[in-house]
């Protein structure tokens, strides 16, 4: 049996023994391989956030209304992004488990089917958004000022057009990560950031396009990123996962079912989570533009802390998936514990710095005095609660998903989101009169209860009974 790392195994011919293994080999994720996997993932996630931060900072020169409009669209956009990520998660789990079994042929099949369904879903979302964007904005955010609505409507147009390219990029990046190659997606995001800064400078400042300039820059960047990654997977037939033959479209029901068995619960989980967050945004709109802008800045800053954790979660999904595919559950437990410790230490370091330097960080954004004070309060609460509870809420469940226990994760996430975060936020904000800070207090409570349920499930070992392939 081949002892080389998964990412180095090349499927020379379809009938290779790699496609029909009789025994499993333990997957060796030593410290060097883990480091090679994780540091590009963390950098990539931070750079993804930087795109939003750059847009917010650069468009803030146009006016607070423009920043508020973009923040409302980004709230909806994050729902779409997490939906694409959920489908990609399904593809990644299936591909990783096949790689754990040294089955390169089926790993490639899963990659092609992931691309097909991602494109179909994204095109449907694009057309719905293009024809109903104003209705969506009004129904979600209610009565917002005309200038904020105008900015949101313009930005939403270009973001909707980018959905198919974003979905293709997400699917392709997931396949690179499944192979243990996280550097290619990272380098792509670096190029995307460079283009985004230059594009914003050109379209917002030089051509005076304002909010439209930020949207155009994001659209073009996503087109370039998608084309680049799809091209790399199509041209290199020696990769253990490639997209050779993808132009001969063939939908395979069995493989799509495996992907969606993970992707649909993950998608419902993240979608309900984001819908809940969007509804909570109505609390900020009820307290005016200052509260909206403060939350936009606070959420952007907090996302810096989230992204390394997201990187650890993505890596854990791959590591656990390959170990489960190889039938090595002792390795799953060992690597999960190690990655959880690393994610907690990283989160602690980042949040301590955000807490200490919050005034300097907030001053980067052009907020008025009222919005500034709101934002300081938001960050104080969030740094404390998320440091204690976020990793067990959002990193640990990736092992459960990798094992095929995505339905349990979905049920817990939906219950805590709606029963704790949403209901508690509205009660504290209006009934108890705490105002917009109630959203961040309820968020911390949500993190706490999610972590309790996911930790209990992990310790019970019930996830070991689940099957994906």
């Amino acid at each position: 049996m081949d002892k080389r790392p998964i990412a180095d195994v090349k499927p020379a011919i379809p009938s290779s023994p790699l496609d029909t293994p009789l025994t499993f080999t333990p997957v060796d994720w030593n410290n060097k391989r883990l480091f090679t996997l994780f540091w590009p993932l963390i950098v990539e996630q931070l750079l993804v956030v930087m795109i939003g931060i750059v847009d917010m900072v650069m468009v803030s020169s146009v006016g607070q209304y423009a920043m508020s409009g973009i923040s409302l669209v980004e709230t909806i956009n994050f729902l779409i992004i997490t939906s694409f990520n959920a489908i990609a998660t399904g593809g990644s789990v299936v591909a990783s488990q096949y790689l754990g079994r040294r089955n390169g042929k089926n790993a490639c099949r899963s990659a092609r089917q992931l691309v097909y369904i991602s494109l179909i879903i994204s095109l449907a979302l694009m057309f719905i958004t293009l024809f109903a964007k104003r209705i969506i904005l009004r129904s979600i955010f209610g009565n917002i000022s005309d200038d904020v609505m105008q900015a949101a409507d313009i930005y939403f147009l270009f973001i909707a057009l980018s959905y198919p390219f974003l979905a293709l990029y997400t699917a392709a990046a997931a396949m690179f990560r499944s192979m243990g190659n996280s550097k290619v997606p990272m380098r792509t995001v670096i190029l995307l950031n460079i283009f985004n800064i230059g594009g914003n400078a050109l379209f917002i400042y030089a051509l005076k396009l304002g909010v439209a300039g930020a949207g155009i820059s994001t659209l073009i960047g996503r087109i370039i990123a998608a084309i680049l990654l799809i091209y790399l997977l199509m041209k290199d037939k020696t990769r253990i996962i490639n997209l050779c033959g993808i132009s001969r479209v063939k939908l395979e029901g069995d493989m799509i079912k495996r992907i969606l068995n993970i992707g649909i619960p993950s998608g419902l989980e993240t979608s309900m989570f984001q819908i809940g967050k969007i509804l909570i945004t109505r609390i900020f709109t009820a307290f005016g533009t200052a509260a909206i802008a403060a939350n936009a800045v606070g959420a952007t800053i907090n996302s810096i802390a989230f992204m390394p954790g997201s990187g650890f979660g993505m890596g854990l999904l791959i590591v656990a998936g390959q170990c489960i595919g190889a039938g090595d559950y002792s390795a799953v437990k060992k690597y999960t514990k190690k990655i959880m410790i690393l994610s907690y230490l990283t989160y602690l370091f980042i949040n301590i710095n955000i807490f200490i330097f919050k005034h300097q960080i907030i001053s980067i954004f052009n907020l008025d005095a009222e919005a500034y004070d709101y934002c300081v309060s938001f960050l104080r609460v969030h740094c404390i609660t998320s440091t204690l509870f976020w990793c067990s809420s959002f990193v640990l469940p990736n092992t459960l998903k990798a094992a095929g226990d995505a339905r349990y994760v979905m049920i817990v996430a939906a219950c805590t989101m709606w029963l704790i975060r949403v209901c508690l936020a509205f009660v504290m904000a209006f009934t108890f009169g705490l105002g917009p800070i109630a959203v961040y207090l309820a968020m911390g409570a949500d993190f706490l209860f999610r972590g309790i349920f996911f930790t209990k499930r992990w310790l019970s070992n019930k996830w070991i009974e689940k099957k994906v392939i």
Side-chain angles (χ1 to χ4, degrees):
M1 179 64 69
D2 199 328
K3 300 287 186 178
R4 288 174 291 163
I6 296 293
D8 296 336
V9 180
K10 307 294 183 181
I13 53 176
S15 60
S16 165
L18 295 177
D19 294 331
T20 55
L22 298 177
T23 59
F24 295 150
T25 298
V27 179
D28 180 22
W29 282 95
N30 56 43
N31 289 337
K32 182 179 179 181
R33 287 195 70 208
L34 287 174
F35 179 77
T36 302
L37 174 68
F38 280 115
W39 78 259
L41 281 173
I42 293 171
V43 172
E44 178 194 351
Q45 294 306 299
L46 287 170
L47 290 173
V48 167
V49 173
M50 285 304 299
I51 295 174
I53 294 175
V54 167
D55 281 351
M56 293 282 289
V57 172
M58 296 183 79
V59 86
S60 66
S61 62
V62 179
Q64 191 162 284
Y65 76 91
M67 188 169 64
S68 297
I70 287 180
S71 74
L72 296 181
V73 175
E74 283 301 309
T75 304
I76 301 172
N77 191 43
F78 200 68
L79 169 62
I80 302 299
I81 292 173
T82 52
S83 298
F84 294 154
N85 284 339
I87 301 300
T89 295
S92 185
V93 168
V94 174
S96 295
Q97 289 205 15
Y98 277 125
L99 292 184
R101 294 190 177 191
R102 299 300 199 271
N103 192 330
K105 181 178 180 180
N106 278 332
C108 290
R109 285 178 58 212
S110 68
R112 289 192 295 270
Q113 298 307 306
L114 174 62
V115 170
Y116 295 148
I117 60 177
S118 296
L119 186 58
I120 292 169
I121 293 171
S122 63
L123 286 170
L125 287 172
M126 181 189 74
F127 285 116
I128 292 171
T129 303
L130 288 176
F131 286 105
K133 59 184 188 300
R134 282 235 172 199
I135 298 173
I136 294 170
L137 290 167
R138 286 290 185 198
S139 61
I140 293 174
F141 301 113
N143 250 341
I144 54 179
S145 61
D146 290 338
D147 54 353
V148 173
M149 172 57 78
Q150 183 66 19
D153 184 65
I154 294 171
Y155 189 69
F156 212 176
L157 169 66
F158 296 104
I159 294 302
L161 291 172
S162 74
Y163 286 160
F165 304 100
L166 176 61
L168 290 175
Y169 164 80
T170 303
M175 291 303 100
F176 274 105
R177 298 186 197 106
S178 296
M179 292 184 281
N181 186 346
S182 54
K183 291 183 180 179
V184 170
M186 178 196 69
R187 290 167 181 160
T188 303
V189 175
I190 290 174
L191 291 175
L192 187 55
N193 270 268
I194 294 172
F195 176 85
N196 193 56
I197 294 173
N200 280 345
L202 172 64
F203 296 124
I204 296 174
Y205 298 145
L207 299 180
K208 306 294 183 183
L209 295 180
V211 173
I216 293 169
S217 180
T218 300
L219 170 61
I220 297 175
R222 287 176 175 175
I223 292 173
I224 294 172
I227 291 174
L228 176 61
L229 287 193
I230 293 295
Y231 170 74
L232 290 175
L233 286 175
M234 289 179 65
K235 80 160 190 171
D236 191 350
K237 298 180 180 180
T238 65
R239 296 187 193 277
I240 192 170
I241 296 181
N242 59 69
L243 294 177
C244 296
I246 195 170
S247 58
R248 299 187 295 273
V249 179
K250 180 182 178 183
L251 297 177
E252 302 179 32
D254 60 333
M255 192 64 72
I256 291 175
K257 183 179 179 180
R258 293 188 185 103
I259 294 172
L260 294 183
N261 279 341
I262 303 297
I264 289 178
S266 297
L268 290 173
E269 171 212 341
T270 53
S271 296
M272 286 186 288
F273 178 75
Q274 292 306 320
I275 290 170
K277 286 181 66 176
I278 290 171
L279 291 177
I280 289 174
T281 305
R282 293 182 72 98
I283 294 176
F284 297 109
T285 60
F287 287 91
T289 302
I292 297 174
N295 180 58
V297 173
T300 301
I301 295 170
N302 290 332
S303 62
I304 297 173
F306 285 153
M307 289 306 104
S310 296
F312 280 116
M314 287 182 177
L316 178 56
L317 189 77
I318 303 306
V319 174
Q322 290 190 4
C323 292
I324 290 167
D328 191 353
Y329 286 93
S330 63
V332 178
K333 295 181 178 181
K334 179 180 75 172
Y335 294 128
T336 299
K337 291 176 183 177
K338 179 182 288 189
I339 293 167
M340 285 297 294
I341 292 172
L342 290 173
S343 61
Y344 263 110
L345 291 175
T346 304
Y347 214 118
L348 177 64
F349 173 78
I350 293 174
N351 268 346
I352 286 175
N353 282 279
I354 291 176
F355 191 89
I356 294 173
F357 298 108
K358 57 184 174 293
H359 294 286
Q360 292 86 342
I361 297 172
I362 296 171
S363 64
I364 297 173
F365 302 87
N366 294 324
L367 295 178
D368 59 27
E370 184 183 8
Y372 184 94
D373 290 339
Y374 272 139
C375 195
V376 170
S377 300
F378 296 164
L379 289 183
R380 283 174 180 160
V381 173
H382 193 268
C383 284
I384 295 171
T385 57
S386 61
T387 299
L388 295 173
F389 311 124
W390 192 88
C391 293
S392 59
S393 302
F394 292 94
V395 178
L396 180 60
N398 282 285
T399 293
L400 305 181
K401 292 179 183 179
D405 203 10
R407 186 173 297 178
Y408 177 84
V409 176
M410 175 194 71
I411 293 171
V412 169
C415 291
T416 60
M417 181 68 194
W418 292 99
L419 296 178
I420 298 175
R421 186 184 295 203
V422 175
C423 294
L424 193 59
F426 276 93
V427 170
M428 289 194 297
F430 299 110
T431 305
F432 295 160
L434 295 181
I437 191 66
V439 173
Y440 284 80
L441 293 171
M443 190 187 306
D446 179 27
F447 295 161
L448 168 62
F449 283 95
R450 280 173 186 260
I452 290 172
F453 281 105
F454 291 146
T455 302
K456 183 178 179 181
R457 184 71 166 188
W458 158 254
L459 294 174
S460 73
N461 290 331
K462 291 182 179 179
W463 50 276
I464 294 177
E465 302 168 5
K466 305 296 179 179
K467 299 296 179 185
V468 175
I469 61 174

